[in-house]
Amino acid sequence: MKSLCNREGMTTAFAMVGGVAPARSPKPILQNLKFVVDSSGSTLMATDLELGIRYQVSGVRVDEPGAAILPTARVQQLLRLSTEADLAIESDSEKVEIRGIRGKWHFAAEDPELFPEVPVFSSKNYYVLTSADLRKLIRRTSFATDTESTRYALGGVLVEFREDSVVMVGTDGRRLARMTVPARVHGEFEKPEGLSPVIPVKALKLLERNLSDDDTPVHLSIVDGNSALVRTERAVIYSRLVEGRFPRYQDVFPNHHEARVGIKAGELLRAVQQSMIVTSDESRGVEFGFAAGELTLTSKSTLGDSRLAVPIDYDDKPLSISFDPRYLVEALVVLDESVQVSIDLVNSRTAALFHTEDRYDYIVMPLTRDS
Amino acid sequence: MRLGHISLSHFNSTSFRKIDQIIVLLLLNSRKPSGRYCTSLDTIRAYTILVDMYTRKRAVGHLDADCFYVSAERVRDPFLKGKPVGVLGNQGACVIAKSYEMKAAGVKTGEPIWDAVQKCPDGIYVKRDFRWYETLSRSMLEVMRRLSGHVEYYSIDEFFFVAEPGPGQSFQDLAVAMRQTILEELDLPVTVGIARSRTLAKLISDSAKPFGAKAVLEKEHEEHLLARLPVTEISGVAKRRAKRLLPWGIASCLDLAKADRGLVRKLLTATGEALWWELNGEPTGEIHSARPRHKALSRGGSLGESTADPHRLYAWLVRNLERLIEELRYHRVMPGKLTLWVGYRDGIPGEGQTRLAVPTDRFDLLLEALRPCLRRAWRPKHPANRMHLIAEDLTDRDTAQGGLFSPHDPRAEALADVKQRINERIGRFAVRSGATLPLKSIYDDGANGYDICDVRGKICF
């Protein structure tokens, strides 16, 4: 294999792909990246067998097609420290050589054939959505998951496919985030059978890094009911799905509300953040008092107490409800400050529903008060 | 800083407590309604208060009962006085406390009963009774609270207190008077140490045992004492930390006190630096009149006879869980995280951990969460001899996070309440899970009905 790589392009590729290679593995070859060059282009790959990525590297001149195994951390270091514009990467059965104008480095060669295959995107039926929308789906749902859950498959985000949309749902059992974005089917719409797929958070984080905030189309497909494949502009990402049962989340949506209030996301976020200042691990609650024209946030702990009034457009009956403010902050920071949030309330013991016009729903259970 | 014509640099400002500093600052900044600063008469008054505060006799005391469990047995059975006595622990297997007479025969704490009998065949061995020890411990606490305005219930037989001698009384007089009062009122021998900090007070009382009463407040006397004590005598410096200090020539408590503070911090982190300040007579921790909130609660301990039987191990888990729930409900807290630790005879432990979907103290939900933990902690065919169940991330029961998928179950909650009420009224374990049946012999032995960890309110285990 012989190639001449633009160092900047290679550095970007390593940054996107390197995180997938495990630092330690019973299969040591997985700690490396596979670099393949041929007439169709050049691809950098990594996998830990649960998650895999194929990334198209830009700025590569192919002199002789072939593949090489590159030690992740060392080559990444070399790319960072080098000042050369281009680096030649060549390999044979004995060594990998990386060469610039002023220096060269040799690494022991490993057989590229031993590197596990990272699946290619070959689905004929898949969903097409914009990169920005998929990014929004991930940002607005993945924070609400719980990777330590043993009872349910909460370590990932549930994906539901509809004829004209894709829905993602993340929950840790205390709050739940659901986002819907438009999507179109390429090929035939297949009514999903069995359990809806749950994509692990780790895969979604990797995917998010590979997405831009524009209308570039992204392709999403579930393969054999056990893995997800996503094709972005430059990458194909493969992930095994989370095993286990996702709870029946539809049941937790309140079917009515006693009061509704509207407020700008940024305004509510700042109020909650200010009220959090005197909360502690032992006393986390912030009490939200909704009354005519005013929302009062009060908190009290051994550190002190606070009271904050926010003018709101509210004319329902007075209502008081306590929340763990962290759960609100995490949901509000993923929204634009100017987004109008509607809050549906029932009583102090029932979940509150926050929703926006762009089909985002967030449910939080309040803190109970048994005293 | 100047107050009138008296320079406050005469005083060591670090000696003032915060409240004293606030009062002084208030006095310094007070203005007459005319807008002028204090008159010389006001200044003199302020100075008098200041001097009074600074010269007030106040120090830290440590009171420690001498071989407490044995002494407690002697209170109710004076026949045991002057004789070698050993108190036996869990199921009578080990000596957990001994009299000085038995110590002289070579018996060590933690020694199996069969070895102890060899060394001290004339010894009298009695089974532990923590309910009785607690009764006496609380009586000691009551007496202590009468003698000092601020008492910390540190452990079942140890107390820290603010030592404030009465008019005409020295610190030494106070130490002797406290020791004498406890002896006269409760028939318990104790040792009292008084010093400038907690660490110094404890070192002094430890070195004055048994039945000692010693107040050391002069630097010279402190240094004399510290020079004789190895660093491992300090509570918080065990072998590993001592080993870290040794290459720097720090072997005695005095070496540590004289060492460079930065070096101590580097070697022993911030907790080590706190000890350095304490050894130099600057208190770093307050006397807690009430126990600070628990970060974690745990129940467990020795299984007595080791077992490889999974049913018996499960029974122990259920027993420990019921005890843990009792404690959680008492403190009105619910855990967010549970850890199950199982110790095995070959020394290799097993552990399982789970984070709960929502904090709860319900038996059925906690047991459901713990079953996979036991599977992870279980090492088939290996005899287990210890188990600990630890509840962390404690949140107030009164303001607990609700769950989306754990609906309110009034029936299960009513059942838990009934169980708690019956046990409170009729006796502990009167209603318990049927899964504990393999441990019938444990429940039949009344000595297992109450443990040291059931003595509430103390700071230390």
PDB file of all heavy atoms in Angstrom, chain A residues 292-308:
ATOM      1  N   ALA A 292     -51.262  33.546  39.674  1.00  0.00           N
ATOM      2  CA  ALA A 292     -51.658  34.492  38.626  1.00  0.00           C
ATOM      3  C   ALA A 292     -50.533  35.461  38.291  1.00  0.00           C
ATOM      4  O   ALA A 292     -50.112  36.256  39.134  1.00  0.00           O
ATOM      5  CB  ALA A 292     -52.889  35.270  39.078  1.00  0.00           C
ATOM      6  N   GLY A 293     -50.034  35.372  37.080  1.00  0.00           N
ATOM      7  CA  GLY A 293     -49.028  36.306  36.585  1.00  0.00           C
ATOM      8  C   GLY A 293     -47.623  36.102  37.100  1.00  0.00           C
ATOM      9  O   GLY A 293     -46.708  36.825  36.705  1.00  0.00           O
ATOM     10  N   GLU A 294     -47.409  35.106  37.965  1.00  0.00           N
ATOM     11  CA  GLU A 294     -46.071  34.976  38.549  1.00  0.00           C
ATOM     12  C   GLU A 294     -45.706  33.526  38.856  1.00  0.00           C
ATOM     13  O   GLU A 294     -46.509  32.758  39.376  1.00  0.00           O
ATOM     14  CB  GLU A 294     -46.000  35.802  39.836  1.00  0.00           C
ATOM     15  CG  GLU A 294     -44.581  35.951  40.359  1.00  0.00           C
ATOM     16  CD  GLU A 294     -44.517  36.843  41.584  1.00  0.00           C
ATOM     17  OE1 GLU A 294     -44.859  36.379  42.677  1.00  0.00           O
ATOM     18  OE2 GLU A 294     -44.134  38.017  41.424  1.00  0.00           O
ATOM     19  N   LEU A 295     -44.476  33.199  38.534  1.00  0.00           N
ATOM     20  CA  LEU A 295     -43.905  31.917  38.936  1.00  0.00           C
ATOM     21  C   LEU A 295     -42.856  32.215  40.006  1.00  0.00           C
ATOM     22  O   LEU A 295     -41.954  33.018  39.792  1.00  0.00           O
ATOM     23  CB  LEU A 295     -43.234  31.226  37.730  1.00  0.00           C
ATOM     24  CG  LEU A 295     -42.266  30.086  38.029  1.00  0.00           C
ATOM     25  CD1 LEU A 295     -42.984  28.908  38.684  1.00  0.00           C
ATOM     26  CD2 LEU A 295     -41.588  29.599  36.734  1.00  0.00           C
ATOM     27  N   THR A 296     -43.008  31.562  41.160  1.00  0.00           N
ATOM     28  CA  THR A 296     -42.032  31.763  42.232  1.00  0.00           C
ATOM     29  C   THR A 296     -41.236  30.489  42.426  1.00  0.00           C
ATOM     30  O   THR A 296     -41.807  29.411  42.607  1.00  0.00           O
ATOM     31  CB  THR A 296     -42.757  32.111  43.558  1.00  0.00           C
ATOM     32  OG1 THR A 296     -43.734  33.092  43.286  1.00  0.00           O
ATOM     33  CG2 THR A 296     -41.791  32.608  44.592  1.00  0.00           C
ATOM     34  N   LEU A 297     -39.916  30.624  42.393  1.00  0.00           N
ATOM     35  CA  LEU A 297     -39.048  29.473  42.621  1.00  0.00           C
ATOM     36  C   LEU A 297     -38.397  29.639  43.986  1.00  0.00           C
ATOM     37  O   LEU A 297     -37.713  30.641  44.233  1.00  0.00           O
ATOM     38  CB  LEU A 297     -37.965  29.381  41.553  1.00  0.00           C
ATOM     39  CG  LEU A 297     -38.439  29.014  40.145  1.00  0.00           C
ATOM     40  CD1 LEU A 297     -38.774  30.240  39.353  1.00  0.00           C
ATOM     41  CD2 LEU A 297     -37.378  28.215  39.432  1.00  0.00           C
ATOM     42  N   THR A 298     -38.609  28.667  44.859  1.00  0.00           N
ATOM     43  CA  THR A 298     -37.987  28.743  46.189  1.00  0.00           C
ATOM     44  C   THR A 298     -37.187  27.491  46.437  1.00  0.00           C
ATOM     45  O   THR A 298     -37.558  26.388  46.031  1.00  0.00           O
ATOM     46  CB  THR A 298     -39.036  28.899  47.311  1.00  0.00           C
ATOM     47  OG1 THR A 298     -40.033  27.912  47.144  1.00  0.00           O
ATOM     48  CG2 THR A 298     -39.682  30.253  47.328  1.00  0.00           C
ATOM     49  N   SER A 299     -36.059  27.671  47.099  1.00  0.00           N
ATOM     50  CA  SER A 299     -35.229  26.520  47.464  1.00  0.00           C
ATOM     51  C   SER A 299     -34.611  26.774  48.821  1.00  0.00           C
ATOM     52  O   SER A 299     -34.408  27.922  49.236  1.00  0.00           O
ATOM     53  CB  SER A 299     -34.144  26.284  46.412  1.00  0.00           C
ATOM     54  OG  SER A 299     -33.415  27.468  46.201  1.00  0.00           O
ATOM     55  N   LYS A 300     -34.315  25.673  49.511  1.00  0.00           N
ATOM     56  CA  LYS A 300     -33.792  25.792  50.864  1.00  0.00           C
ATOM     57  C   LYS A 300     -32.923  24.581  51.168  1.00  0.00           C
ATOM     58  O   LYS A 300     -33.280  23.454  50.838  1.00  0.00           O
ATOM     59  CB  LYS A 300     -34.976  25.838  51.848  1.00  0.00           C
ATOM     60  CG  LYS A 300     -34.577  26.251  53.241  1.00  0.00           C
ATOM     61  CD  LYS A 300     -35.809  26.366  54.114  1.00  0.00           C
ATOM     62  CE  LYS A 300     -35.400  26.789  55.510  1.00  0.00           C
ATOM     63  NZ  LYS A 300     -36.534  26.862  56.420  1.00  0.00           N
ATOM     64  N   SER A 301     -31.775  24.833  51.744  1.00  0.00           N
ATOM     65  CA  SER A 301     -30.911  23.734  52.171  1.00  0.00           C
ATOM     66  C   SER A 301     -30.075  24.247  53.333  1.00  0.00           C
ATOM     67  O   SER A 301     -30.255  25.393  53.779  1.00  0.00           O
ATOM     68  CB  SER A 301     -29.994  23.294  51.023  1.00  0.00           C
ATOM     69  OG  SER A 301     -28.983  24.264  50.825  1.00  0.00           O
ATOM     70  N   THR A 302     -29.142  23.429  53.792  1.00  0.00           N
ATOM     71  CA  THR A 302     -28.272  23.870  54.892  1.00  0.00           C
ATOM     72  C   THR A 302     -27.365  25.015  54.440  1.00  0.00           C
ATOM     73  O   THR A 302     -26.798  25.736  55.257  1.00  0.00           O
ATOM     74  CB  THR A 302     -27.403  22.707  55.394  1.00  0.00           C
ATOM     75  OG1 THR A 302     -26.791  22.103  54.259  1.00  0.00           O
ATOM     76  CG2 THR A 302     -28.231  21.683  56.146  1.00  0.00           C
ATOM     77  N   LEU A 303     -27.226  25.187  53.112  1.00  0.00           N
ATOM     78  CA  LEU A 303     -26.370  26.258  52.588  1.00  0.00           C
ATOM     79  C   LEU A 303     -27.052  27.618  52.663  1.00  0.00           C
ATOM     80  O   LEU A 303     -26.401  28.652  52.673  1.00  0.00           O
ATOM     81  CB  LEU A 303     -26.009  25.980  51.123  1.00  0.00           C
ATOM     82  CG  LEU A 303     -25.293  24.670  50.822  1.00  0.00           C
ATOM     83  CD1 LEU A 303     -25.224  24.450  49.326  1.00  0.00           C
ATOM     84  CD2 LEU A 303     -23.897  24.707  51.418  1.00  0.00           C
ATOM     85  N   GLY A 304     -28.385  27.604  52.665  1.00  0.00           N
ATOM     86  CA  GLY A 304     -29.134  28.855  52.702  1.00  0.00           C
ATOM     87  C   GLY A 304     -30.466  28.681  52.006  1.00  0.00           C
ATOM     88  O   GLY A 304     -30.933  27.553  51.809  1.00  0.00           O
ATOM     89  N   ASP A 305     -31.078  29.775  51.605  1.00  0.00           N
ATOM     90  CA  ASP A 305     -32.351  29.657  50.907  1.00  0.00           C
ATOM     91  C   ASP A 305     -32.445  30.746  49.834  1.00  0.00           C
ATOM     92  O   ASP A 305     -31.669  31.707  49.838  1.00  0.00           O
ATOM     93  CB  ASP A 305     -33.525  29.727  51.877  1.00  0.00           C
ATOM     94  CG  ASP A 305     -33.500  30.990  52.701  1.00  0.00           C
ATOM     95  OD1 ASP A 305     -33.852  32.042  52.145  1.00  0.00           O
ATOM     96  OD2 ASP A 305     -33.117  30.926  53.886  1.00  0.00           O
ATOM     97  N   SER A 306     -33.373  30.564  48.915  1.00  0.00           N
ATOM     98  CA  SER A 306     -33.528  31.552  47.857  1.00  0.00           C
ATOM     99  C   SER A 306     -34.999  31.656  47.448  1.00  0.00           C
ATOM    100  O   SER A 306     -35.773  30.715  47.642  1.00  0.00           O
ATOM    101  CB  SER A 306     -32.680  31.196  46.641  1.00  0.00           C
ATOM    102  OG  SER A 306     -33.256  30.127  45.935  1.00  0.00           O
ATOM    103  N   ARG A 307     -35.344  32.771  46.891  1.00  0.00           N
ATOM    104  CA  ARG A 307     -36.700  32.996  46.376  1.00  0.00           C
ATOM    105  C   ARG A 307     -36.570  33.879  45.137  1.00  0.00           C
ATOM    106  O   ARG A 307     -35.891  34.907  45.182  1.00  0.00           O
ATOM    107  CB  ARG A 307     -37.557  33.690  47.429  1.00  0.00           C
ATOM    108  CG  ARG A 307     -39.004  33.793  47.053  1.00  0.00           C
ATOM    109  CD  ARG A 307     -39.810  34.460  48.158  1.00  0.00           C
ATOM    110  NE  ARG A 307     -41.221  34.509  47.806  1.00  0.00           N
ATOM    111  CZ  ARG A 307     -41.754  35.371  46.953  1.00  0.00           C
ATOM    112  NH1 ARG A 307     -40.987  36.280  46.388  1.00  0.00           N
ATOM    113  NH2 ARG A 307     -43.045  35.332  46.677  1.00  0.00           N
ATOM    114  N   LEU A 308     -37.168  33.446  44.067  1.00  0.00           N
ATOM    115  CA  LEU A 308     -37.029  34.164  42.807  1.00  0.00           C
ATOM    116  C   LEU A 308     -38.396  34.259  42.132  1.00  0.00           C
ATOM    117  O   LEU A 308     -39.099  33.261  42.041  1.00  0.00           O
ATOM    118  CB  LEU A 308     -36.049  33.401  41.909  1.00  0.00           C
ATOM    119  CG  LEU A 308     -35.616  34.064  40.631  1.00  0.00           C
ATOM    120  CD1 LEU A 308     -34.668  35.206  40.902  1.00  0.00           C
ATOM    121  CD2 LEU A 308     -34.915  33.032  39.735  1.00  0.00           C
TER     122      LEU A 308
END
